[in-house]
Amino acid sequence: AQSVAQPEDQVNVAEGNPLTVKCTYSVSGNPYLFWYVQYPNRGLQFLLKYITGDNLVKGSYGFEAEFNKSQTSFHLKKPSALVSDSALYFCAVRAMDTGRRALTFGSGTRLQVQP
Amino acid sequence: AAGVIQSPRHLIKEKRETATLKCYPIPRHDTVYWYQQGPGQDPQFLISFYEKMQSDKGSIPDRFSAQQFSDYHSELNMSSLELGDSALYFCASTHRRADTEAFFGQGTRLTVV
Protein backbone atom coordinates (compact mmCIF):
# COMPACT_ATOMS: atom_id res chain seq x y z
CA ALA A 1 0.00 0.00 0.00
CA GLN A 2 1.14 3.54 -0.61
CA SER A 3 0.36 6.67 1.35
CA VAL A 4 1.20 10.35 1.56
CA ALA A 5 1.22 12.57 4.60
CA GLN A 6 0.94 16.33 4.51
CA PRO A 7 1.22 17.25 8.18
CA GLU A 8 0.08 20.86 7.86
CA ASP A 9 -3.52 21.70 6.99
CA GLN A 10 -2.50 25.30 6.36
CA VAL A 11 0.69 27.24 5.87
CA ASN A 12 0.76 31.01 6.24
CA VAL A 13 3.59 33.08 4.83
CA ALA A 14 4.15 36.74 4.03
CA GLU A 15 4.64 37.78 0.44
CA GLY A 16 8.31 37.79 -0.50
CA ASN A 17 9.25 35.25 2.16
CA PRO A 18 10.33 31.70 1.36
CA LEU A 19 7.73 28.97 1.70
CA THR A 20 7.86 25.26 2.41
CA VAL A 21 4.99 22.79 2.17
CA LYS A 22 5.86 19.44 3.70
CA CYS A 23 5.21 15.97 2.31
CA THR A 24 6.31 12.51 3.37
CA TYR A 25 5.42 9.31 1.61
CA SER A 26 5.34 5.56 1.98
CA VAL A 27 5.56 3.23 -1.01
CA SER A 28 6.95 -0.17 -1.89
CA GLY A 29 10.03 0.23 -4.02
CA ASN A 30 11.05 3.41 -5.76
CA PRO A 31 8.58 6.29 -5.90
CA TYR A 32 7.32 8.65 -8.52
CA LEU A 33 6.44 11.86 -6.67
CA PHE A 34 4.32 14.77 -7.79
CA TRP A 35 3.02 18.12 -6.63
CA TYR A 36 -0.28 19.50 -7.90
CA VAL A 37 -1.99 22.79 -7.12
CA GLN A 38 -5.74 23.34 -7.00
CA TYR A 39 -7.46 26.71 -7.18
CA PRO A 40 -11.11 27.01 -6.01
CA ASN A 41 -13.52 25.01 -8.17
CA ARG A 42 -10.73 24.14 -10.57
CA GLY A 43 -8.91 21.02 -11.63
CA LEU A 44 -5.53 19.89 -10.42
CA GLN A 45 -2.63 21.60 -12.14
CA PHE A 46 0.69 19.81 -12.37
CA LEU A 47 3.61 21.65 -10.75
CA LEU A 48 6.54 19.26 -10.78
CA LYS A 49 7.60 15.65 -10.49
CA TYR A 50 10.47 13.49 -9.33
CA ILE A 51 11.16 10.39 -11.36
CA THR A 52 14.88 9.81 -11.04
CA GLY A 53 18.10 11.78 -11.14
CA ASP A 54 18.76 15.02 -9.30
CA ASN A 55 17.12 15.23 -5.92
CA LEU A 56 16.24 18.90 -6.47
CA VAL A 57 13.47 19.23 -9.00
CA LYS A 58 12.42 22.54 -10.52
CA GLY A 59 8.89 23.09 -11.71
CA SER A 60 6.36 25.68 -12.79
CA TYR A 61 5.95 29.18 -11.34
CA GLY A 62 9.30 29.13 -9.53
CA PHE A 63 8.47 26.13 -7.35
CA GLU A 64 10.96 23.41 -6.58
CA ALA A 65 10.99 20.28 -4.46
CA GLU A 66 13.69 18.23 -2.84
CA PHE A 67 13.54 14.45 -2.79
CA ASN A 68 15.09 12.93 0.32
CA LYS A 69 15.10 9.15 0.16
CA SER A 70 16.35 8.56 3.70
CA GLN A 71 13.62 10.76 5.16
CA THR A 72 11.04 9.68 2.56
CA SER A 73 10.18 13.32 2.02
CA PHE A 74 9.41 15.52 -0.95
CA HIS A 75 8.93 19.04 0.41
CA LEU A 76 7.74 21.80 -1.90
CA LYS A 77 9.62 25.09 -1.75
CA LYS A 78 9.69 28.53 -3.27
CA PRO A 79 12.28 31.21 -2.47
CA SER A 80 9.84 34.13 -2.61
CA ALA A 81 6.09 33.66 -2.19
CA LEU A 82 3.48 35.58 -4.17
CA VAL A 83 -0.09 36.35 -3.11
CA SER A 84 -1.19 34.52 -6.27
CA ASP A 85 0.42 31.33 -4.92
CA SER A 86 -2.43 31.07 -2.40
CA ALA A 87 -4.14 27.78 -3.21
CA LEU A 88 -4.50 24.15 -2.13
CA TYR A 89 -1.40 22.01 -2.72
CA PHE A 90 -1.44 18.24 -3.04
CA CYS A 91 1.50 15.89 -2.89
CA ALA A 92 1.01 12.57 -4.68
CA VAL A 93 2.92 9.32 -5.07
CA ARG A 94 2.85 6.19 -7.12
CA ALA A 95 5.20 3.25 -7.10
CA MET A 96 7.63 3.04 -9.97
CA ASP A 97 7.88 -0.71 -9.97
CA THR A 98 4.38 -2.04 -9.32
CA GLY A 99 1.30 -2.32 -11.48
CA ARG A 100 -0.82 0.43 -9.94
CA ARG A 101 -0.31 3.65 -11.86
CA ALA A 102 -3.02 5.68 -10.17
CA LEU A 103 -1.85 8.41 -7.85
CA THR A 104 -2.32 8.40 -4.11
CA PHE A 105 -2.77 11.93 -2.81
CA GLY A 106 -2.05 13.53 0.51
CA SER A 107 -4.78 15.40 2.35
CA GLY A 108 -3.67 18.73 0.93
CA THR A 109 -2.15 21.86 2.43
CA ARG A 110 -3.74 25.24 2.05
CA LEU A 111 -1.16 27.91 1.38
CA GLN A 112 -2.12 31.43 2.37
CA VAL A 113 0.25 34.20 1.29
CA GLN A 114 -0.41 37.51 2.98
CA PRO A 115 0.38 40.79 1.20
CA ALA B 1 -2.50 22.91 -26.17
CA ALA B 2 -5.48 20.61 -25.87
CA GLY B 3 -6.36 19.58 -22.34
CA VAL B 4 -8.58 16.99 -20.74
CA ILE B 5 -12.21 17.89 -21.33
CA GLN B 6 -14.94 16.88 -18.93
CA SER B 7 -18.65 17.33 -19.33
CA PRO B 8 -20.86 18.47 -17.88
CA ARG B 9 -19.11 20.92 -15.54
CA HIS B 10 -22.00 20.91 -13.11
CA LEU B 11 -24.78 18.41 -12.54
CA ILE B 12 -27.64 18.34 -10.08
CA LYS B 13 -29.50 15.07 -9.56
CA GLU B 14 -32.02 13.75 -7.10
CA LYS B 15 -31.47 10.71 -4.91
CA ARG B 16 -31.89 7.40 -6.69
CA GLU B 17 -31.40 9.01 -10.11
CA THR B 18 -28.63 8.13 -12.54
CA ALA B 19 -25.85 10.30 -13.92
CA THR B 20 -23.31 9.96 -16.71
CA LEU B 21 -20.05 11.89 -16.69
CA LYS B 22 -17.89 12.16 -19.76
CA CYS B 23 -14.15 12.58 -20.18
CA TYR B 24 -12.20 13.33 -23.35
CA PRO B 25 -8.46 12.75 -22.83
CA ILE B 26 -5.62 14.66 -24.37
CA PRO B 27 -5.09 13.47 -27.97
CA ARG B 28 -2.86 10.38 -28.18
CA HIS B 29 -3.22 9.66 -24.48
CA ASP B 30 -4.23 6.04 -24.02
CA THR B 31 -4.94 5.89 -20.29
CA VAL B 32 -7.78 7.47 -18.34
CA TYR B 33 -8.22 7.69 -14.58
CA TRP B 34 -11.30 8.70 -12.60
CA TYR B 35 -11.05 10.30 -9.16
CA GLN B 36 -13.64 11.46 -6.66
CA GLN B 37 -12.97 14.45 -4.42
CA GLY B 38 -15.44 14.97 -1.61
CA PRO B 39 -15.80 18.35 0.11
CA GLY B 40 -12.54 19.17 1.87
CA GLN B 41 -11.06 15.82 0.89
CA ASP B 42 -8.18 14.66 -1.24
CA PRO B 43 -8.93 13.00 -4.58
CA GLN B 44 -9.64 9.27 -4.27
CA PHE B 45 -8.92 6.92 -7.14
CA LEU B 46 -11.98 5.18 -8.55
CA ILE B 47 -11.02 3.31 -11.71
CA SER B 48 -8.69 3.46 -14.71
CA PHE B 49 -8.63 2.28 -18.31
CA TYR B 50 -5.77 1.54 -20.68
CA GLU B 51 -6.43 0.90 -24.36
CA LYS B 52 -10.16 0.53 -23.69
CA MET B 53 -9.70 -2.14 -21.03
CA GLN B 54 -10.09 -1.66 -17.30
CA SER B 55 -6.57 -1.52 -15.92
CA ASP B 56 -7.11 -0.90 -12.22
CA LYS B 57 -9.89 -0.50 -9.73
CA GLY B 58 -9.90 1.64 -6.63
CA SER B 59 -12.71 2.59 -4.29
CA ILE B 60 -15.44 2.65 -6.91
CA PRO B 61 -18.89 1.68 -5.52
CA ASP B 62 -20.74 -1.18 -7.17
CA ARG B 63 -23.43 1.32 -8.18
CA PHE B 64 -20.89 2.97 -10.49
CA SER B 65 -19.50 1.63 -13.73
CA ALA B 66 -17.25 3.04 -16.40
CA GLN B 67 -15.86 2.28 -19.80
CA GLN B 68 -13.44 3.62 -22.35
CA PHE B 69 -14.53 3.83 -25.96
CA SER B 70 -12.70 3.32 -29.25
CA ASP B 71 -11.93 7.05 -29.48
CA TYR B 72 -10.43 6.81 -25.94
CA HIS B 73 -13.06 8.96 -24.33
CA SER B 74 -14.46 7.54 -21.11
CA GLU B 75 -17.80 7.66 -19.35
CA LEU B 76 -18.56 7.17 -15.67
CA ASN B 77 -22.07 5.89 -15.08
CA MET B 78 -23.54 6.38 -11.63
CA SER B 79 -26.82 4.80 -10.57
CA SER B 80 -29.00 4.92 -7.46
CA LEU B 81 -27.36 8.18 -6.49
CA GLU B 82 -26.97 8.94 -2.80
CA LEU B 83 -26.40 12.24 -1.02
CA GLY B 84 -22.86 11.10 -0.23
CA ASP B 85 -22.05 10.90 -3.92
CA SER B 86 -22.00 14.70 -4.05
CA ALA B 87 -18.42 15.50 -4.99
CA LEU B 88 -16.07 16.79 -7.62
CA TYR B 89 -15.25 14.06 -10.12
CA PHE B 90 -11.98 14.36 -11.96
CA CYS B 91 -10.74 12.61 -15.01
CA ALA B 92 -7.02 12.46 -15.77
CA SER B 93 -5.17 11.14 -18.79
CA THR B 94 -1.65 9.96 -19.51
CA HIS B 95 0.30 8.24 -22.22
CA ARG B 96 1.43 4.96 -20.72
CA ARG B 97 4.53 4.36 -22.81
CA ALA B 98 5.77 7.90 -22.34
CA ASP B 99 4.95 7.54 -18.64
CA THR B 100 3.97 11.17 -18.43
CA GLU B 101 2.48 12.84 -15.43
CA ALA B 102 -1.29 12.77 -15.21
CA PHE B 103 -3.12 15.74 -16.70
CA PHE B 104 -6.41 16.52 -15.02
CA GLY B 105 -9.62 17.94 -16.36
CA GLN B 106 -11.55 20.73 -14.68
CA GLY B 107 -13.84 18.25 -13.06
CA THR B 108 -17.59 17.70 -12.89
CA ARG B 109 -19.29 18.93 -9.75
CA LEU B 110 -22.12 16.54 -8.94
CA THR B 111 -24.70 17.61 -6.39
CA VAL B 112 -27.24 15.05 -5.24
CA VAL B 113 -30.31 16.51 -3.56
Side-chain angles (χ1 to χ4, degrees), chain A residues 32 34 36 38 41-44 46 49 88 90 94 100-103 105-107, chain B residues 9 33 35 37 42-43 45 56-58 88 90 96 99 101-102 104-106 109:
Chain A
Y32 282 170
F34 304 83
Y36 285 84
Q38 185 176 32
N41 298 312
R42 301 293 297 277
L44 294 159
F46 169 76
K49 65 183 177 185
L88 187 57
F90 287 100
R94 75 166 176 89
R100 170 158 285 193
R101 290 172 175 263
L103 296 174
F105 287 88
S107 54
Chain B
R9 290 293 308 278
Y33 301 85
Y35 292 84
Q37 186 181 26
D42 56 289
F45 169 63
D56 199 359
K57 197 171 181 180
L88 198 51
F90 288 112
R96 173 168 283 211
D99 211 9
E101 60 273 15
F104 283 78
Q106 299 275 52
R109 182 168 295 283

Short mmCIF file of all heavy atoms in Angstrom, two decimals, chain A residues 32 34 36 38 41-44 46 49 88 90 94 100-103 105-107, chain B residues 9 33 35 37 42-43 45 56-58 88 90 96 99 101-102 104-106 109:
data_model
loop_
_atom_site.label_atom_id
_atom_site.label_comp_id
_atom_site.label_asym_id
_atom_site.label_seq_id
_atom_site.Cartn_x
_atom_site.Cartn_y
_atom_site.Cartn_z
N TYR A 32 7.51 7.47 -7.68
CA TYR A 32 7.32 8.65 -8.52
C TYR A 32 6.57 9.65 -7.63
O TYR A 32 5.55 9.29 -7.03
CB TYR A 32 6.44 8.34 -9.73
CG TYR A 32 7.11 7.62 -10.87
CD1 TYR A 32 6.34 7.12 -11.92
CD2 TYR A 32 8.47 7.43 -10.94
CE1 TYR A 32 6.91 6.47 -12.99
CE2 TYR A 32 9.06 6.77 -12.01
CZ TYR A 32 8.27 6.29 -13.02
OH TYR A 32 8.84 5.63 -14.09
N PHE A 34 4.92 13.67 -7.05
CA PHE A 34 4.32 14.77 -7.79
C PHE A 34 3.79 15.83 -6.82
O PHE A 34 3.39 15.51 -5.70
CB PHE A 34 3.15 14.29 -8.65
CG PHE A 34 3.48 13.18 -9.60
CD1 PHE A 34 3.50 11.86 -9.18
CD2 PHE A 34 3.77 13.46 -10.92
CE1 PHE A 34 3.81 10.82 -10.05
CE2 PHE A 34 4.09 12.42 -11.81
CZ PHE A 34 4.10 11.11 -11.37
N TYR A 36 0.78 18.87 -7.13
CA TYR A 36 -0.28 19.50 -7.90
C TYR A 36 -0.83 20.66 -7.08
O TYR A 36 -0.82 20.63 -5.85
CB TYR A 36 -1.41 18.52 -8.19
CG TYR A 36 -1.12 17.50 -9.26
CD1 TYR A 36 -0.44 16.32 -8.95
CD2 TYR A 36 -1.51 17.71 -10.58
CE1 TYR A 36 -0.17 15.38 -9.95
CE2 TYR A 36 -1.25 16.78 -11.58
CZ TYR A 36 -0.57 15.61 -11.25
OH TYR A 36 -0.31 14.69 -12.23
N GLN A 38 -4.31 23.23 -6.67
CA GLN A 38 -5.74 23.34 -7.00
C GLN A 38 -6.26 24.70 -6.54
O GLN A 38 -6.19 25.03 -5.36
CB GLN A 38 -6.53 22.22 -6.33
CG GLN A 38 -8.00 22.19 -6.70
CD GLN A 38 -8.74 21.02 -6.11
OE1 GLN A 38 -8.43 20.56 -5.01
NE2 GLN A 38 -9.73 20.51 -6.82
N ASN A 41 -12.64 25.52 -7.11
CA ASN A 41 -13.52 25.01 -8.17
C ASN A 41 -12.79 24.76 -9.49
O ASN A 41 -13.37 24.90 -10.55
CB ASN A 41 -14.69 25.98 -8.40
CG ASN A 41 -15.55 26.10 -7.17
OD1 ASN A 41 -15.92 25.10 -6.56
ND2 ASN A 41 -15.83 27.32 -6.76
N ARG A 42 -11.52 24.42 -9.38
CA ARG A 42 -10.73 24.14 -10.57
C ARG A 42 -10.12 22.75 -10.48
O ARG A 42 -10.13 22.10 -9.44
CB ARG A 42 -9.60 25.17 -10.72
CG ARG A 42 -10.06 26.60 -10.82
CD ARG A 42 -10.82 26.85 -12.11
NE ARG A 42 -10.00 26.65 -13.29
CZ ARG A 42 -9.19 27.57 -13.78
NH1 ARG A 42 -9.07 28.74 -13.21
NH2 ARG A 42 -8.48 27.32 -14.88
N GLY A 43 -9.59 22.31 -11.60
CA GLY A 43 -8.91 21.02 -11.63
C GLY A 43 -7.54 21.10 -10.98
O GLY A 43 -7.12 22.15 -10.50
N LEU A 44 -6.87 19.98 -10.98
CA LEU A 44 -5.53 19.89 -10.42
C LEU A 44 -4.52 20.24 -11.49
O LEU A 44 -4.51 19.64 -12.56
CB LEU A 44 -5.28 18.48 -9.90
CG LEU A 44 -6.15 18.07 -8.72
CD1 LEU A 44 -6.23 16.56 -8.60
CD2 LEU A 44 -5.59 18.67 -7.44
N PHE A 46 -0.60 20.40 -12.63
CA PHE A 46 0.69 19.81 -12.37
C PHE A 46 1.74 20.89 -12.13
O PHE A 46 1.81 21.87 -12.87
CB PHE A 46 1.08 18.95 -13.58
CG PHE A 46 2.50 18.47 -13.56
CD1 PHE A 46 2.89 17.45 -12.73
CD2 PHE A 46 3.44 19.06 -14.39
CE1 PHE A 46 4.20 17.01 -12.73
CE2 PHE A 46 4.75 18.63 -14.40
CZ PHE A 46 5.13 17.59 -13.57
N LYS A 49 7.53 17.08 -10.80
CA LYS A 49 7.60 15.65 -10.49
C LYS A 49 9.04 15.23 -10.26
O LYS A 49 9.98 15.85 -10.77
CB LYS A 49 7.02 14.83 -11.64
CG LYS A 49 7.83 14.93 -12.94
CD LYS A 49 7.18 14.14 -14.07
CE LYS A 49 7.96 14.32 -15.37
NZ LYS A 49 7.29 13.67 -16.51
N LEU A 88 -4.58 25.45 -2.82
CA LEU A 88 -4.50 24.15 -2.13
C LEU A 88 -3.46 23.29 -2.86
O LEU A 88 -3.54 23.15 -4.08
CB LEU A 88 -5.87 23.48 -2.14
CG LEU A 88 -6.08 22.21 -1.35
CD1 LEU A 88 -5.74 22.41 0.12
CD2 LEU A 88 -7.53 21.76 -1.50
N PHE A 90 -1.39 19.67 -3.29
CA PHE A 90 -1.44 18.24 -3.04
C PHE A 90 -0.14 17.59 -3.46
O PHE A 90 0.35 17.81 -4.58
CB PHE A 90 -2.58 17.59 -3.82
CG PHE A 90 -3.95 17.87 -3.31
CD1 PHE A 90 -4.74 18.84 -3.91
CD2 PHE A 90 -4.46 17.17 -2.22
CE1 PHE A 90 -6.01 19.11 -3.43
CE2 PHE A 90 -5.74 17.43 -1.75
CZ PHE A 90 -6.51 18.40 -2.36
N ARG A 94 3.17 7.52 -6.63
CA ARG A 94 2.85 6.19 -7.12
C ARG A 94 4.15 5.40 -7.18
O ARG A 94 5.23 5.98 -7.30
CB ARG A 94 2.14 6.20 -8.46
CG ARG A 94 2.97 6.50 -9.68
CD ARG A 94 2.13 6.11 -10.90
NE ARG A 94 2.77 6.44 -12.15
CZ ARG A 94 3.59 5.64 -12.82
NH1 ARG A 94 3.90 4.45 -12.33
NH2 ARG A 94 4.10 6.01 -13.98
N ARG A 100 0.12 -0.67 -10.10
CA ARG A 100 -0.82 0.43 -9.94
C ARG A 100 -0.19 1.74 -10.37
O ARG A 100 0.84 2.15 -9.83
CB ARG A 100 -1.30 0.53 -8.49
CG ARG A 100 -2.09 1.82 -8.22
CD ARG A 100 -3.01 1.72 -7.03
NE ARG A 100 -4.19 0.94 -7.37
CZ ARG A 100 -5.29 0.88 -6.63
NH1 ARG A 100 -5.34 1.55 -5.52
NH2 ARG A 100 -6.31 0.14 -6.99
N ARG A 101 -0.82 2.38 -11.35
CA ARG A 101 -0.31 3.65 -11.86
C ARG A 101 -1.12 4.84 -11.38
O ARG A 101 -0.76 5.97 -11.65
CB ARG A 101 -0.29 3.60 -13.39
CG ARG A 101 0.77 2.65 -13.93
CD ARG A 101 0.64 2.46 -15.42
NE ARG A 101 1.75 1.64 -15.94
CZ ARG A 101 2.84 2.14 -16.47
NH1 ARG A 101 2.98 3.43 -16.60
NH2 ARG A 101 3.80 1.35 -16.90
N ALA A 102 -2.21 4.58 -10.69
CA ALA A 102 -3.02 5.68 -10.17
C ALA A 102 -2.26 6.36 -9.03
O ALA A 102 -1.48 5.74 -8.30
CB ALA A 102 -4.35 5.16 -9.67
N LEU A 103 -2.51 7.64 -8.89
CA LEU A 103 -1.85 8.41 -7.85
C LEU A 103 -2.57 8.27 -6.52
O LEU A 103 -3.79 8.18 -6.47
CB LEU A 103 -1.82 9.89 -8.24
CG LEU A 103 -1.03 10.25 -9.50
CD1 LEU A 103 -1.21 11.72 -9.84
CD2 LEU A 103 0.44 9.92 -9.31
N PHE A 105 -2.96 10.53 -3.20
CA PHE A 105 -2.77 11.93 -2.81
C PHE A 105 -2.69 12.07 -1.29
O PHE A 105 -3.28 11.29 -0.55
CB PHE A 105 -3.93 12.78 -3.31
CG PHE A 105 -3.93 13.01 -4.80
CD1 PHE A 105 -4.54 12.11 -5.65
CD2 PHE A 105 -3.32 14.13 -5.34
CE1 PHE A 105 -4.53 12.31 -7.02
CE2 PHE A 105 -3.31 14.35 -6.70
CZ PHE A 105 -3.92 13.43 -7.54
N GLY A 106 -1.99 13.11 -0.87
CA GLY A 106 -2.05 13.53 0.51
C GLY A 106 -3.34 14.31 0.75
O GLY A 106 -4.14 14.53 -0.17
N SER A 107 -3.53 14.73 1.97
CA SER A 107 -4.78 15.40 2.35
C SER A 107 -4.82 16.86 1.93
O SER A 107 -5.84 17.51 2.06
CB SER A 107 -4.98 15.30 3.86
OG SER A 107 -3.84 15.81 4.53
N ARG B 9 -19.90 20.33 -16.63
CA ARG B 9 -19.11 20.92 -15.54
C ARG B 9 -19.86 20.85 -14.22
O ARG B 9 -19.25 20.71 -13.17
CB ARG B 9 -18.77 22.38 -15.88
CG ARG B 9 -17.79 22.55 -17.01
CD ARG B 9 -16.39 22.04 -16.64
NE ARG B 9 -15.90 22.58 -15.39
CZ ARG B 9 -15.33 23.77 -15.25
NH1 ARG B 9 -15.17 24.55 -16.29
NH2 ARG B 9 -14.90 24.17 -14.07
N TYR B 33 -7.97 7.96 -15.99
CA TYR B 33 -8.22 7.69 -14.58
C TYR B 33 -9.42 8.53 -14.13
O TYR B 33 -9.56 9.67 -14.54
CB TYR B 33 -7.02 8.11 -13.72
CG TYR B 33 -5.71 7.43 -14.06
CD1 TYR B 33 -4.91 7.93 -15.08
CD2 TYR B 33 -5.28 6.31 -13.37
CE1 TYR B 33 -3.70 7.33 -15.39
CE2 TYR B 33 -4.07 5.71 -13.68
CZ TYR B 33 -3.28 6.23 -14.70
OH TYR B 33 -2.09 5.63 -15.01
N TYR B 35 -11.23 10.03 -10.59
CA TYR B 35 -11.05 10.30 -9.16
C TYR B 35 -12.29 11.01 -8.64
O TYR B 35 -12.97 11.75 -9.35
CB TYR B 35 -9.85 11.23 -8.92
CG TYR B 35 -8.50 10.63 -9.21
CD1 TYR B 35 -7.98 10.63 -10.50
CD2 TYR B 35 -7.72 10.08 -8.19
CE1 TYR B 35 -6.73 10.09 -10.76
CE2 TYR B 35 -6.47 9.54 -8.45
CZ TYR B 35 -5.99 9.56 -9.74
OH TYR B 35 -4.74 9.02 -10.01
N GLN B 37 -13.44 13.57 -5.49
CA GLN B 37 -12.97 14.45 -4.42
C GLN B 37 -14.16 15.00 -3.66
O GLN B 37 -14.88 15.86 -4.14
CB GLN B 37 -12.12 15.59 -4.98
CG GLN B 37 -11.49 16.46 -3.89
CD GLN B 37 -10.66 17.61 -4.45
OE1 GLN B 37 -10.90 18.07 -5.56
NE2 GLN B 37 -9.67 18.07 -3.69
N ASP B 42 -9.12 14.85 -0.14
CA ASP B 42 -8.18 14.66 -1.24
C ASP B 42 -8.83 13.77 -2.29
O ASP B 42 -9.76 13.01 -1.99
CB ASP B 42 -6.89 14.03 -0.73
CG ASP B 42 -7.11 12.72 -0.02
OD1 ASP B 42 -7.66 12.74 1.11
OD2 ASP B 42 -6.78 11.67 -0.60
N PRO B 43 -8.36 13.85 -3.52
CA PRO B 43 -8.93 13.00 -4.58
C PRO B 43 -8.67 11.52 -4.30
O PRO B 43 -7.57 11.12 -3.95
CB PRO B 43 -8.18 13.45 -5.83
CG PRO B 43 -7.66 14.81 -5.51
CD PRO B 43 -7.37 14.79 -4.05
N PHE B 45 -8.91 7.65 -5.88
CA PHE B 45 -8.92 6.92 -7.14
C PHE B 45 -10.12 5.99 -7.22
O PHE B 45 -10.39 5.21 -6.30
CB PHE B 45 -7.61 6.14 -7.29
CG PHE B 45 -7.60 5.16 -8.42
CD1 PHE B 45 -7.71 5.59 -9.73
CD2 PHE B 45 -7.46 3.80 -8.17
CE1 PHE B 45 -7.70 4.67 -10.77
CE2 PHE B 45 -7.45 2.89 -9.20
CZ PHE B 45 -7.57 3.31 -10.50
N ASP B 56 -7.24 -0.90 -13.67
CA ASP B 56 -7.11 -0.90 -12.22
C ASP B 56 -8.42 -0.42 -11.62
O ASP B 56 -9.19 0.31 -12.26
CB ASP B 56 -5.95 0.00 -11.78
CG ASP B 56 -5.46 -0.32 -10.38
OD1 ASP B 56 -6.02 -1.23 -9.71
OD2 ASP B 56 -4.52 0.35 -9.93
N LYS B 57 -8.65 -0.85 -10.41
CA LYS B 57 -9.89 -0.50 -9.73
C LYS B 57 -9.56 -0.03 -8.34
O LYS B 57 -8.81 -0.69 -7.61
CB LYS B 57 -10.81 -1.71 -9.68
CG LYS B 57 -12.25 -1.43 -9.38
CD LYS B 57 -13.07 -2.71 -9.58
CE LYS B 57 -14.53 -2.46 -9.32
NZ LYS B 57 -15.34 -3.69 -9.52
N GLY B 58 -10.12 1.13 -7.98
CA GLY B 58 -9.90 1.64 -6.63
C GLY B 58 -11.17 1.52 -5.82
O GLY B 58 -11.80 0.47 -5.78
N LEU B 88 -16.70 16.37 -6.37
CA LEU B 88 -16.07 16.79 -7.62
C LEU B 88 -15.44 15.54 -8.22
O LEU B 88 -14.68 14.84 -7.54
CB LEU B 88 -15.02 17.85 -7.31
CG LEU B 88 -14.48 18.75 -8.40
CD1 LEU B 88 -15.58 19.42 -9.18
CD2 LEU B 88 -13.55 19.79 -7.78
N PHE B 90 -13.05 14.00 -11.03
CA PHE B 90 -11.98 14.36 -11.96
C PHE B 90 -11.64 13.18 -12.87
O PHE B 90 -11.65 12.03 -12.45
CB PHE B 90 -10.69 14.73 -11.21
CG PHE B 90 -10.76 16.06 -10.52
CD1 PHE B 90 -10.75 16.12 -9.14
CD2 PHE B 90 -10.80 17.23 -11.25
CE1 PHE B 90 -10.80 17.35 -8.50
CE2 PHE B 90 -10.85 18.45 -10.61
CZ PHE B 90 -10.85 18.50 -9.24
N ARG B 96 0.76 5.97 -21.54
CA ARG B 96 1.43 4.96 -20.72
C ARG B 96 2.88 4.77 -21.12
O ARG B 96 3.76 4.72 -20.27
CB ARG B 96 0.69 3.62 -20.81
CG ARG B 96 1.45 2.49 -20.11
CD ARG B 96 0.60 1.28 -19.95
NE ARG B 96 -0.36 1.44 -18.87
CZ ARG B 96 -0.81 0.46 -18.11
NH1 ARG B 96 -0.39 -0.77 -18.33
NH2 ARG B 96 -1.68 0.67 -17.16
N ASP B 99 4.95 7.46 -20.11
CA ASP B 99 4.95 7.54 -18.64
C ASP B 99 4.94 8.99 -18.18
O ASP B 99 5.70 9.38 -17.31
CB ASP B 99 6.16 6.81 -18.06
CG ASP B 99 5.83 6.22 -16.69
OD1 ASP B 99 4.64 6.22 -16.31
OD2 ASP B 99 6.74 5.77 -15.99
N GLU B 101 3.32 12.54 -16.59
CA GLU B 101 2.48 12.84 -15.43
C GLU B 101 1.03 12.86 -15.86
O GLU B 101 0.72 12.98 -17.05
CB GLU B 101 2.87 14.20 -14.82
CG GLU B 101 2.73 15.37 -15.77
CD GLU B 101 3.97 15.60 -16.61
OE1 GLU B 101 4.83 14.68 -16.67
OE2 GLU B 101 4.08 16.68 -17.19
N ALA B 102 0.13 12.74 -14.91
CA ALA B 102 -1.29 12.77 -15.21
C ALA B 102 -1.75 14.21 -15.38
O ALA B 102 -1.41 15.08 -14.60
CB ALA B 102 -2.07 12.10 -14.08
N PHE B 104 -5.05 16.57 -15.53
CA PHE B 104 -6.41 16.52 -15.02
C PHE B 104 -7.34 17.47 -15.76
O PHE B 104 -6.93 18.56 -16.19
CB PHE B 104 -6.42 16.89 -13.53
CG PHE B 104 -5.93 15.80 -12.64
CD1 PHE B 104 -4.58 15.54 -12.51
CD2 PHE B 104 -6.84 15.01 -11.93
CE1 PHE B 104 -4.12 14.51 -11.69
CE2 PHE B 104 -6.39 13.98 -11.11
CZ PHE B 104 -5.04 13.73 -10.99
N GLY B 105 -8.59 17.05 -15.87
CA GLY B 105 -9.62 17.94 -16.36
C GLY B 105 -10.09 18.88 -15.27
O GLY B 105 -9.62 18.81 -14.13
N GLN B 106 -11.03 19.74 -15.63
CA GLN B 106 -11.55 20.73 -14.68
C GLN B 106 -12.50 20.12 -13.67
O GLN B 106 -12.82 20.73 -12.66
CB GLN B 106 -12.26 21.85 -15.44
CG GLN B 106 -11.38 22.62 -16.39
CD GLN B 106 -10.63 23.73 -15.69
OE1 GLN B 106 -9.98 23.53 -14.69
NE2 GLN B 106 -10.73 24.92 -16.24
N ARG B 109 -18.75 18.82 -11.11
CA ARG B 109 -19.29 18.93 -9.75
C ARG B 109 -20.68 18.32 -9.74
O ARG B 109 -21.60 18.86 -10.36
CB ARG B 109 -19.32 20.36 -9.26
CG ARG B 109 -19.84 20.47 -7.82
CD ARG B 109 -19.61 21.83 -7.22
NE ARG B 109 -18.20 22.16 -7.05
CZ ARG B 109 -17.44 21.67 -6.09
NH1 ARG B 109 -17.92 20.83 -5.20
NH2 ARG B 109 -16.16 22.03 -6.00
#
